[in-house]
Amino acid sequence: MKKRILVCMVFVILLGGCWDNKDINHRALPIAMGISYQQGNYEVFLDIPTVSDKNEGIQVISAKGDTISAAVNKISMNMESQVDLLHLKVLIVDKAFATLGLSEITASTIRSRHISPKTMFVICDEPLDQFFKGINNMKNGDGKEIYDFFQKNSGWNPEIAHTPVWKVFRSIHSYTNDVVLPIIKSGESTAIQSMGSGILRNGKMVSRLSNEQTLLYNVFDGNSLDGKIEVMGKATVQIVSSRIHNESKFVNNQPVLNSTLHLKVIIMDVIGVPSIEVIKTELQTLLRRILDQIFKKMERANADIFGIGQHYREDLPRTELAEWRTKYLPQAKINLEVKTTIRNTGNLKLK
């Protein structure tokens, strides 16, 4: 009798496991979701790996609706699998949508909990139908390039901004902290091409940074490991580590920030036989020039992507913090000093 009961229990467990596996196999797990918005109508694109014996290929499915949920429901209704967005890795919006504003979609994403807050937020520099058609061309790879492109242990590069959904949500509700989003498009010789990054203020794209400026933004933000910089045609250096020390104060009601950027680099190659001191001097001059360009863009756009206002939160009441972007940021004075340590030169012979 006991053996019969035990056999029945094992059978039930195995049967339950089969149903669980069947449930998993009948779920569509998109890698990326694209969203465009035109004249009150949303169009959603889902990049879904196809399930086959070889487990290769990507299927792009799209639908339109009055809301994002309505468009996703249409896709799910017409598929044999249930759409599960919890494992989504990349959320892409077109440039027009980013310029119009991402506050509503970001709040909806956080509130619904159907999409992970860690999902990457990305701006596309071309129509989404053209983008998905381009990246899923079989000659470009297996269709998973959009996922690998933003993974730090795979294809991510320090010239690419790295901003998850939760950071965008935080910036929208912050007086003193804005963000940048990577801008991409389908490439010609590669599946994806980086087009720099977009500066977001209160969830709206108000300006852009080049790839070179994005690298320096990442350096300033402490997220620049292995970034390579061309130094005035004299050398190529690779950043090994970076840290920044800030001292903030008010002088005659003007915010003043004294920043010291410490870099450790290695020299990859050189042109001619420049001295180490020349390379260090040229590198510091180059970094200051590019960072000054970024600061000027911030001031014109009233967007605090470096979170400079965070250093003055204890000095200003909440009512004044609400005016940080428009009243204080344009007149902020930033004194930047760059200190470079060349850790080694490999086999290069330098003066």
Side-chain angles (χ1 to χ4, degrees):
M1 185 66 179
K2 290 182 179 179
K3 289 183 179 180
R4 186 176 299 174
I5 294 174
L6 182 61
V7 170
C8 290
M9 290 175 63
V10 172
F11 178 75
V12 169
I13 292 172
L14 291 174
L15 185 62
C18 291
W19 279 112
D20 289 342
N21 290 334
K22 184 178 180 181
D23 182 59
I24 292 173
N25 291 334
H26 280 76
R27 289 187 180 184
L29 306 176
I31 292 177
M33 179 167 73
I35 305 173
S36 65
Y37 179 79
Q38 293 181 347
Q39 300 177 346
N41 206 29
Y42 292 93
E43 185 171 11
V44 172
F45 298 80
L46 293 182
D47 208 14
I48 304 172
T50 56
V51 179
S52 64
D53 295 337
K54 295 183 179 180
N55 197 29
E56 296 178 353
I58 290 288
Q59 183 181 19
V60 178
I61 304 174
S62 64
K64 295 181 179 180
D66 295 334
T67 64
I68 297 172
S69 296
V72 173
N73 287 338
K74 282 184 180 179
I75 294 175
S76 184
M77 176 180 63
N78 294 323
M79 291 185 64
E80 68 278 6
S81 303
Q82 180 184 355
V83 176
D84 186 351
L85 300 177
L86 191 58
H87 299 281
L88 194 71
K89 302 302 180 184
V90 184
L91 183 59
I92 309 171
V93 296
D94 60 16
K95 186 170 57 177
F97 195 2
T99 304
L100 185 64
L102 304 176
S103 300
E104 186 176 338
I105 177 181
T106 305
S108 175
T109 298
I110 295 294
R111 185 171 56 249
S112 69
R113 299 185 180 181
H114 291 156
I115 298 176
S116 170
K118 295 181 180 180
T119 301
M120 281 289 301
F121 225 136
V122 180
I123 298 172
C124 185
D125 213 15
E126 64 183 336
L128 288 181
D129 56 348
Q130 181 178 331
F131 171 75
F132 280 106
K133 182 180 179 180
I135 67 169
N136 289 318
N137 190 329
M138 289 303 294
K139 69 178 182 179
N140 286 331
D142 59 5
K144 298 178 183 178
E145 284 72 23
I146 186 65
Y147 170 73
D148 293 332
F149 191 78
F150 293 103
Q151 296 305 302
K152 289 194 173 182
N153 59 352
S154 183
W156 181 80
N157 193 280
E159 282 85 357
I160 302 170
H162 194 276
T163 308
V165 170
W166 70 265
K167 279 192 176 182
V168 179
F169 180 77
R170 181 189 65 180
S171 71
I172 293 171
H173 298 278
S174 171
Y175 296 137
T176 57
N177 208 337
D178 293 300
V179 294
V180 300
L181 296 187
I183 301 178
I184 60 174
K185 62 179 291 187
S186 56
E188 296 180 1
S189 58
T190 59
I192 300 172
Q193 181 179 352
S194 174
M195 303 298 292
S197 55
I199 297 176
L200 262 67
R201 184 190 68 218
N202 293 129
K204 295 182 179 181
M205 191 175 86
V206 291
S207 187
R208 295 178 67 146
L209 299 177
S210 66
N211 284 316
E212 185 180 43
Q213 291 169 341
T214 303
L215 170 62
L216 267 294
Y217 163 79
N218 282 333
V219 169
F220 204 87
D221 203 40
N223 192 25
S224 61
L225 193 62
D226 294 336
K228 296 179 180 64
I229 301 174
E230 300 290 334
V231 185
M232 304 293 188
K234 292 182 172 63
T236 302
V237 300
Q238 178 176 327
I239 300 172
V240 178
S241 67
S242 65
R243 63 182 177 88
I244 189 164
H245 176 72
N246 296 305
E247 293 182 357
S248 60
K249 58 183 177 180
F250 273 100
V251 178
N252 297 326
N253 205 35
Q254 178 188 24
V256 177
L257 184 69
N258 297 316
S259 300
T260 304
L261 178 62
H262 299 268
L263 291 179
K264 288 184 179 180
V265 304
I266 59 175
I267 299 177
M268 305 295 293
D269 54 51
V270 296
I271 298 175
V273 192
S275 67
I276 291 179
E277 288 304 316
V278 167
I279 293 175
K280 289 174 65 174
T281 301
E282 295 284 2
L283 176 60
Q284 291 167 3
T285 302
L286 175 65
L287 295 181
R288 279 196 292 264
R289 178 175 61 81
I290 298 175
L291 285 170
D292 284 342
Q293 294 172 356
I294 299 174
F295 292 145
K296 288 178 181 178
K297 285 188 176 184
M298 287 170 49
E299 292 173 0
R300 288 195 297 265
N302 292 331
D304 192 355
I305 59 175
F306 289 122
I308 295 171
Q310 296 287 100
H311 300 285
Y312 300 93
R313 293 184 69 89
E314 296 181 359
D315 302 316
L316 295 172
R318 187 172 179 82
T319 53
E320 291 292 308
L321 279 175
E323 299 178 347
W324 167 258
R325 291 183 178 97
T326 56
K327 181 178 178 180
Y328 292 101
L329 183 61
Q331 59 176 324
K333 183 179 181 181
I334 303 170
N335 300 316
L336 176 66
E337 182 181 5
V338 181
K339 293 185 177 181
T340 306
T341 301
I342 296 180
R343 204 170 73 172
N344 67 61
T345 59
N347 294 322
L348 299 173
K349 294 181 179 180
L350 302 177
K351 296 179 181 178

